[in-house]
Amino acid sequence: MDEFKVRTVDLQQVQNQTRHKTDGLSSSTLVLRRGQAFTVTINYDGRPFDPLKEKLIFRIVLGPIAVEVPVSRFGQPSLTQWTAVLERSVPNPTGPRALSVTLSSPATASIGVYTLQLRVEARLSVKTHLLGQFTLLCNPWCEADSVFLQSEDLRTEYVKSDIGLLFKGSPGNIVSRPWSFDQYEKGILDICMKLLQVSPQHQADMGKDLLNRSNPVYISRVISAMVNCNDDKGVLMGNWSGDYKDGVNPSKWSGSADILRMWSETQFSPVKYGQCWVFAAVMCTVMRALGIPTRVVTNFNSAHDTDGNMTIEEYYNEKGEKLSMSRDSIWNFHVWVESWMKRPDLGRGYDGWQVLDPTPQEMSAGMFRCGPAAVTAIYERRVDAQYDVPFVYAEVNADVRTMIVRNGRVLSTSVDKRRVGALISTKRPGSMSMQDITSEYKTEEDENTYRGSMAGVTGRSTTFRCEPQSDRIMVGNTCSRSLTGVTGRSITFSCEPQSDRIMASKGVEVSLQLLKAPVVGENISFNIIITNNDAAPKLLRKHVNAQNKEYNRNPTETFWEAHDDIKIGPKETVTIKHEISFKHYMLKETEEDSLVNLAVVIEDVKSQERVLASEEFIIRSPSLDIQIQNEVSVIINTPQVATVIFTNPFNVAVSGELTVSGSGLLEEKAQMRLTIQPRETIKKRVNFTPRMAGARMLSANLVLENPPTIMHGFKTINVQAS
């Protein structure tokens, strides 16, 4: 009979990827997860395989590292080393014969793109067959993997889901923005693997980098640096200037695929431009693609403490104008990611969620990156725990010292221990609503965010107010926060603007109250409430000031102000209503939501005592509505129709570009130019054919030129298998 001769080897791509839960990921290779067995079929001619006459040895190659794995007839797949076990021989007297071999990788294998070879050693010959490549990812389904996550619902949300909801705005006025993580889009997984290859660590010492890639702590630190371009060939360039002429306005991105493809197609030139939510969303895509459970997190009132003293200084002049006198700043919101992994380097108790921040703010060991910082270490104030715990701790816990100054002299001071880290939130698993995770970062003592008062330096107190509203979790694109206190009673606070801070003196109290959530095109209406606590009448001077603001720094010029004198009777409370018209705050640059710093200073003419109340709020853009024709019966590979609906709220005709996209729903984005008359409602039909089952998201962006604003809308669709 002829000798045993290998004809072909089948890597069983469909079956293996289904078993490894990598089906849907697009790659030029087989995609597998570590710590799990996979099967290959060896088709051969000639006599049956005889282990006494020939040896089969798999050679598994990753860069300069190679492992030889002899095929054994007996044995079990192992979680600690590579193994190859002969499952069965398939006799077929007439046609080709086949051997089935089960290979398995250790749960600590390095992630990367491997080459698989098979060597057949007979008494008189040695033949090597190149079988192809496979991409090996982390495995949150495998208990021995350091990214193992117990709950199937959480694995679905934090690894498999490609639908995102990012939260922006201010803690009293939150806006949610759809984001498509796009990890299933064509070529995206290969680009994510390329990101590891292009990193400075890989370029400097390939062998060391590949060995370290077994550890998600190391991987996440590399990715955190590579998502920004500040010290490497990273993906995104940050820009907070408002001038985006030579790139893309960060607010116009709606998914990660465009960004990652642009980076790859330009030979790893940085993509212009990103801001914090874009950096975080792209990092979330890369980490989920690599198999590391990851979620996007927003910290509202996020401190950037440049001098490390855990205090942010804010300065106002006596007219209520906020001054740029400090390098410290409070970002209205800052967005980072958390990834789930074990932390053996920190000892017991620090496994679980880790903060990673790819926005280039400060250096960590010589590179612009941040984390992984264990959320538990932040909660426990373990500022010695690596990496970057002090920086993140300050982002959620710094004190705010507010001073009213004149000619370099401090007129009054208050200290606010509650404002920073007022709300820390993420998307709720399996839902398009917000989950409050503040209590994971802050103790009860740190976290009485909306209530309580503390004495300032001058004995004044700063009080937070938030009134309970009826239970309301998701209305349109607004959301609310539920706080569960020690009693377990859940109070739901609506995300409507509330008075931000009240500054009180012995004699006078002042507060600001927004009358409704401001929307672009409408007037801003608010009340100033002044109380005289004394038994004597007072003459007061009132200064109100509104300034434009970027989310990550102090306000710029004043666009509206009002100054007058008020007489107030003994023990009297007066309410004064103000309106700021649209023409006063009309946008200059294209923004999706513009921020305003509103402040009032009340001066007691006789005592010269001054009190201040301030509020930072968002003027949100109107939203787009998306309707699906047969919403309850959307079936894979069956044509469908969506309608995007928008009513022009402005008194002038507007024009701009509408873009509709949806991963797994639309092959190409639908784009169209629109001109809409004042108060006109337009309805635009978009045809799509779903190509992936499960939860999908259709999102629409309308970029208007005048006024320059960006509007969003999204619709989640449950696509049924046929």
Side-chain angles (χ1 to χ4, degrees), residues 258-297:
D258 287 348
I259 295 167
L260 289 165
R261 284 195 188 117
M262 196 180 289
W263 175 71
S264 174
E265 286 163 7
T266 57
Q267 277 64 57
F268 318 117
S269 300
V271 175
K272 299 174 179 178
Y273 290 103
Q275 289 181 7
C276 68
W277 68 93
V278 186
F279 286 107
V282 169
M283 180 158 184
C284 185
T285 296
V286 177
M287 298 296 273
R288 286 188 186 182
L290 299 181
I292 301 171
T294 300
R295 62 189 185 183
V296 178
V297 170

Side-chain angles (χ1 to χ4, degrees), residues 118-290:
L118 174 63
R119 197 166 72 245
V120 183
E121 295 183 356
R123 194 166 60 85
L124 296 173
S125 67
V126 176
K127 283 197 175 134
T128 300
H129 304 265
L130 181 61
L131 309 184
Q133 292 186 311
F134 64 89
T135 299
L136 194 65
L137 306 176
C138 292
N139 192 350
W141 284 266
C142 169
E143 280 193 50
D145 195 310
S146 51
V147 302
F148 172 67
L149 187 55
Q150 185 88 45
S151 155
E152 178 62 22
D153 285 350
L154 296 188
R155 290 190 294 250
T156 297
E157 178 71 38
Y158 298 135
V159 182
K160 295 180 82 174
S161 173
D162 59 353
I163 293 175
L165 203 57
L166 315 180
F167 298 103
K168 300 168 69 179
S170 57
N173 192 5
I174 296 165
V175 291
S176 51
R177 289 285 168 258
W179 190 273
S180 183
F181 293 120
D182 293 336
Q183 67 265 38
Y184 300 107
E185 289 294 295
K186 193 169 172 52
I188 293 302
L189 176 60
D190 293 346
I191 295 171
C192 293
M193 301 313 291
K194 203 74 72 56
L195 202 107
L196 294 169
Q197 306 291 100
V198 175
S199 73
Q201 292 87 339
H202 187 83
Q203 298 300 314
D205 188 336
M206 186 194 295
K208 185 180 173 190
D209 171 64
L210 292 170
L211 285 171
N212 282 332
R213 278 203 220 156
S214 62
N215 180 1
V217 174
Y218 172 84
I219 296 164
S220 65
R221 220 158 144 66
V222 170
I223 300 295
S224 172
M226 279 300 296
V227 169
N228 70 67
C229 70
N230 287 45
D231 21 44
D232 45 39
K233 288 184 170 177
V235 176
L236 274 161
M237 184 181 288
N239 183 345
W240 287 266
S241 72
D243 178 5
Y244 312 116
K245 281 194 294 289
D246 60 340
V248 175
N249 180 328
S251 295
K252 290 185 183 177
W253 300 114
S254 59
S256 301
D258 287 348
I259 295 167
L260 289 165
R261 284 195 188 117
M262 196 180 289
W263 175 71
S264 174
E265 286 163 7
T266 57
Q267 277 64 57
F268 318 117
S269 300
V271 175
K272 299 174 179 178
Y273 290 103
Q275 289 181 7
C276 68
W277 68 93
V278 186
F279 286 107
V282 169
M283 180 158 184
C284 185
T285 296
V286 177
M287 298 296 273
R288 286 188 186 182
L290 299 181

Side-chain angles (χ1 to χ4, degrees), residues 22 28 36 67 110 129 137 251 257 304 342 345 354 585 670-671:
T22 58
S28 52
Q36 192 171 336
V67 183
S110 291
H129 304 265
L137 306 176
S251 295
H304 190 156
K342 289 192 168 66
D345 56 318
Q354 314 289 321
Y585 71 81
Q671 292 183 303

Side-chain angles (χ1 to χ4, degrees), residues 381-532:
R381 309 179 192 196
R382 271 281 314 274
V383 291
D384 58 322
Q386 56 186 19
Y387 297 84
D388 308 307
V389 170
F391 184 74
V392 183
Y393 181 83
E395 286 184 301
V396 300
N397 282 304
D399 293 348
V400 185
R401 185 187 298 275
T402 303
M403 286 161 272
I404 301 176
V405 295
R406 181 177 63 199
N407 301 330
R409 195 168 67 84
V410 176
L411 303 177
S412 68
T413 306
S414 73
V415 176
D416 188 336
K417 292 183 177 291
R418 315 283 186 191
R419 186 173 13 146
V420 166
L423 169 63
I424 304 167
S425 65
T426 189
K427 176 183 174 296
R428 189 179 297 281
S431 152
M432 293 304 276
S433 63
M434 187 185 75
Q435 181 181 356
D436 180 351
I437 55 170
T438 316
S439 61
E440 295 179 23
Y441 283 79
K442 304 172 82 155
T443 60
E444 191 92 8
E445 174 194 341
D446 295 326
E447 201 221 330
N448 286 326
T449 312
Y450 284 93
R451 285 185 191 277
S453 68
M454 45 285 156
V457 180
T458 56
R460 300 190 175 95
S461 72
T462 305
T463 307
F464 282 71
R465 274 193 191 157
C466 192
E467 301 304 319
Q469 304 271 346
S470 62
D471 268 22
R472 182 164 70 77
I473 292 299
M474 198 75 196
V475 183
N477 283 358
T478 64
C479 52
S480 68
R481 63 176 303 199
S482 293
L483 302 179
T484 305
V486 270
T487 59
R489 185 170 72 94
S490 175
I491 306 167
T492 300
F493 294 94
S494 81
C495 296
E496 294 306 313
Q498 298 282 347
S499 170
D500 194 64
R501 295 191 303 293
I502 303 162
M503 191 190 267
S505 71
K506 288 192 275 300
V508 179
E509 259 179 46
V510 62
S511 65
L512 283 167
Q513 179 191 30
L514 280 171
L515 297 177
K516 59 177 180 173
V519 178
V520 172
E522 297 176 3
N523 292 349
I524 300 167
S525 305
F526 63 97
N527 283 341
I528 294 170
I529 302 153
I530 306 165
T531 300
N532 177 8

Side-chain angles (χ1 to χ4, degrees), residues 104-121:
S104 64
S105 60
T108 54
S110 291
I111 67 168
V113 181
Y114 287 75
T115 300
L116 187 61
Q117 300 169 353
L118 174 63
R119 197 166 72 245
V120 183
E121 295 183 356

Side-chain angles (χ1 to χ4, degrees), residues 583-711:
K583 72 169 188 284
H584 278 110
Y585 71 81
M586 256 183 75
L587 314 175
K588 292 173 185 65
E589 287 109 22
T590 305
E591 293 181 80
E592 53 183 350
D593 303 293
S594 72
L595 281 154
V596 172
N597 187 87
L598 183 66
V600 57
V601 172
I602 301 295
E603 177 191 345
D604 185 330
V605 173
K606 186 177 176 186
S607 70
Q608 293 285 289
E609 207 165 28
R610 289 172 179 82
V611 290
L612 174 141
S614 70
E615 160 116 49
E616 285 180 353
F617 57 86
I618 200 163
I619 305 174
R620 71 172 77 199
S621 299
S623 55
L624 307 176
D625 185 29
I626 302 177
Q627 294 177 359
I628 307 298
Q629 200 169 46
N630 299 311
E631 199 176 330
V632 288
S633 59
V634 179
I635 297 163
I636 195 166
N637 299 324
T638 305
Q640 260 289 349
V641 178
T643 306
V644 181
I645 304 166
F646 172 65
T647 301
N648 176 9
F650 305 109
N651 290 322
V652 293
V654 296
S655 55
E657 184 165 69
L658 175 68
T659 304
V660 183
S661 57
S663 182
L665 298 172
L666 282 164
E667 285 289 346
E668 298 282 329
K669 290 182 175 158
Q671 292 183 303
M672 55 199 89
R673 291 280 313 166
L674 302 176
T675 298
I676 313 153
Q677 297 306 313
R679 314 294 169 185
E680 182 192 1
T681 297
I682 55 134
K683 297 183 177 184
K684 288 293 171 189
R685 285 164 60 92
V686 177
N687 297 309
F688 67 97
T689 303
R691 59 180 198 278
M692 288 180 79
R696 316 302 318 148
M697 180 172 69
L698 204 60
S699 71
N701 287 358
L702 177 58
V703 181
L704 295 183
E705 282 127 28
N706 188 25
T709 187
I710 302 173
M711 298 166 197

